[in-house]
Amino acid sequence: MPRYTYSARDQSGKTVSATIDAPGRRDAIRILGSRGLQVASINEAAGGAKGGAASAAGTKKARGFTFLKQGEQKPTRADRLAFLEALYDLMASGMSAGESVRLLSQRIKEPRLRTLCAGLWERLSEGGTLSRSMAEFPTVFDPATVNLIQAGEATGSLNDTVARIIAHLLEQKEMRRKLIAAMTYPCILMLVAGGVITFFMTFLLPRMQTLLKGLGGKLPPSTQLLVNMSDFAKAYGIFVVIALGILVVMFWQWRNTEPGRLTTDRWMLKLPLIGPFALSQTVLAFSQTLGVLLENGITAIEALRMTERQIGNRVHRAAFNTATARVMEGESLSAALLRTKCFPDLVLDRLAVGENTGNVVPSLKDISKAFQKDITARLEMFTNVITTGVLLLVFVFVGFIAYAIVSAVFTLSSSFSGR
């Protein structure tokens, strides 16, 4: 008889991981359900009685997806929003979640979404719930989404829950779009300015240098400095670029380690413009996520743990973790966050008012809206500062080039006329 490894939650909410022998996957889910366990994931063990034969036949299942056929693409986290929007459209018309997924697996044309829907329907047809099926696709659905869907199933408000998740994801998507749009123009401007300067230093200036030397005489200091810069760029420019590239790669690899990420995040918080922006992002992330989780019936401690994983800055994440531990000891969230000294006092005051009046979720929503506007304003200011700085540097350098050329022409002309 095949053996299955599973992860499930008992009636107290505790996670249990063990193995079970059953004739098939559907039978295993039914047996565990009769024991009062809510299955999060279940897979056939590699050493099961039929595991080797199934693997040899190519039917063994990996976590999340059956082995993809040739030409199929594996869905990613980017496909989550599109799937939920399609699912909500069908459920809003009166179809059940299972029937909606079945229809999507047959009708949807986009390859990755079709693969995802087929995988979900495969698990739903075996008796699993939508949340359990989603849990087996961790590369697409994060734990917060899975738990929200599970809460919606338990309370009978799955449609409303999916709608809230979609609204939350759309807000995050819009914020990322604003960030990319704000950085696009300064990046293009820096690339164009760098290209123009490089073209002048390596192509035009050497030809002008030959002309100036042909007139004879001594070049003025500004022109000589410009010529020396051009000679250095031609002789050592490629080595400088390679060295900078190596340093960037080494720095990026170090930042991807946990100590490096913690250190660089601490540095970022000390920078004049980037530090306040990072703090605003943290406040927005925790207010948005925590508000959605609490609104959908997730317990406070579990919602705090999920919210912690949504905070990108490691310094703020560690502070939030410390605050969560104090909340578990009976302290209010606003008081626990105040002790960390990482969050704005005004935010904590608004949160404290929500806790005292029993309106935590509305308070979190108000904080989220306020910091969405704050981040938008900071992005505009950040863009203006970078754009102005780049333009100023370009104008200064171009002015210096013009001065060096004009002074060289006048110096050489005067020496030539004095002969």
Side-chain angles (χ1 to χ4, degrees):
M1 182 177 295
R3 173 167 296 179
Y4 296 88
T5 59
Y6 68 88
S7 176
R9 293 188 182 186
D10 58 20
Q11 295 178 348
S12 64
K14 183 180 179 181
T15 301
V16 179
S17 297
T19 60
I20 184 175
D21 294 330
R25 176 187 169 88
R26 187 178 301 178
D27 298 310
I29 294 175
R30 186 173 60 251
I31 293 172
L32 293 172
S34 65
R35 297 178 183 175
L37 298 175
Q38 291 185 343
V39 179
S41 63
I42 182 168
N43 300 290
E44 187 174 350
K50 294 184 181 180
S55 178
T59 58
K60 178 183 172 183
K61 295 175 184 178
R63 178 174 172 79
F65 299 94
T66 54
F67 287 111
L68 298 176
K69 299 177 183 179
Q70 186 176 4
E72 289 185 334
Q73 302 177 26
K74 185 176 180 179
T76 63
R77 187 64 53 86
D79 300 305
R80 175 181 52 174
L81 178 59
F83 166 76
L84 291 173
E85 287 177 330
L87 179 67
Y88 178 75
D89 288 340
L90 291 178
M91 290 195 303
S93 65
M95 298 180 66
S96 65
E99 188 63 20
S100 299
V101 174
R102 184 192 67 81
L103 187 61
L104 288 174
S105 67
Q106 296 175 350
R107 301 290 178 84
I108 206 159
K109 302 299 182 184
E110 206 282 323
R112 292 203 307 267
L113 284 179
R114 188 181 183 90
T115 301
L116 174 62
C117 294
L120 288 171
W121 171 241
E122 181 182 355
R123 282 145 184 81
L124 287 170
S125 64
E126 293 175 349
T129 62
L130 181 61
S131 59
R132 295 176 192 172
S133 302
M134 286 180 169
E136 296 198 32
F137 297 83
T139 58
V140 181
F141 304 105
D142 61 316
T145 302
V146 173
N147 285 327
L148 285 172
I149 294 295
Q150 185 177 6
E153 291 173 328
T155 58
S157 57
L158 185 57
N159 282 21
D160 293 337
T161 301
V162 174
R164 292 192 191 103
I165 296 174
I166 291 173
H168 178 58
L169 295 178
L170 286 174
E171 289 175 353
Q172 292 182 327
K173 183 178 179 181
E174 178 64 16
M175 190 55 58
R176 287 193 297 269
R177 186 195 66 78
K178 289 180 179 179
L179 180 60
I180 293 172
M183 294 304 299
T184 299
Y185 178 65
C187 289
I188 293 176
L189 188 60
M190 286 188 287
L191 287 174
V192 172
V196 170
I197 292 172
T198 301
F199 176 74
F200 179 84
M201 296 291 289
T202 59
F203 183 77
L204 291 182
L205 187 58
R207 286 158 175 75
M208 294 180 63
Q209 182 181 354
T210 303
L211 176 62
L212 293 173
K213 284 184 178 180
L215 295 175
K218 185 179 179 180
L219 295 176
S222 58
T223 310
Q224 189 61 51
L225 176 60
L226 196 62
V227 170
N228 292 340
M229 290 171 59
S230 176
D231 293 339
F232 179 84
K234 288 189 296 180
Y236 304 104
I238 186 64
F239 301 105
V240 172
V241 171
I242 293 174
L244 288 176
I246 294 174
L247 288 175
V248 169
V249 171
M250 292 176 61
F251 176 81
W252 191 256
Q253 289 178 342
W254 173 66
R255 176 173 161 75
N256 286 334
T257 64
E258 197 59 33
R261 183 64 181 270
L262 182 62
T263 302
T264 52
D265 284 351
R266 187 177 292 112
W267 291 346
M268 288 174 60
L269 293 176
K270 297 179 181 179
L271 297 176
L273 292 175
I274 298 178
F277 180 76
L279 177 59
S280 297
Q281 278 191 313
T282 296
V283 174
L284 178 62
F286 104 78
S287 58
Q288 273 187 337
T289 306
L290 186 60
V292 171
L293 292 171
L294 293 176
E295 188 177 21
N296 285 275
I298 305 297
T299 60
I301 298 302
E302 192 172 5
L304 289 172
R305 292 299 186 197
M306 293 181 199
T307 302
E308 179 186 326
R309 292 192 288 268
Q310 302 300 316
I311 297 176
N313 189 282
R314 293 299 189 270
V315 176
H316 290 159
R317 182 181 293 187
F320 199 86
N321 178 269
T322 303
T324 300
R326 292 195 177 112
V327 171
M328 294 176 66
E329 296 173 357
E331 193 170 358
S332 66
L333 178 59
S334 57
L337 290 175
L338 180 62
R339 288 193 185 189
T340 64
K341 299 180 179 180
C342 287
F343 297 88
D345 293 338
L346 182 59
V347 171
L348 301 182
D349 290 340
R350 297 173 71 173
L351 183 59
V353 171
E355 290 176 324
N356 294 332
T357 59
N359 297 317
V360 177
V361 172
S363 295
L364 289 171
K365 287 185 175 181
D366 291 340
I367 293 171
S368 172
K369 291 178 182 178
F371 273 83
Q372 277 183 324
K373 296 179 181 178
D374 180 74
I375 287 178
T376 301
R378 289 185 183 277
L379 281 174
E380 292 178 357
M381 181 183 66
F382 191 63
T383 303
N384 292 335
V385 169
I386 293 179
T387 304
T388 304
V390 172
L391 288 175
L392 185 61
L393 288 175
V394 172
F395 289 153
V396 168
F397 192 79
V398 170
F400 173 71
I401 292 174
Y403 171 76
I405 294 174
V406 171
S407 61
V409 171
F410 276 109
T411 301
L412 295 176
S413 298
S414 61
S415 64
F416 181 78
S417 61
R419 293 179 182 177

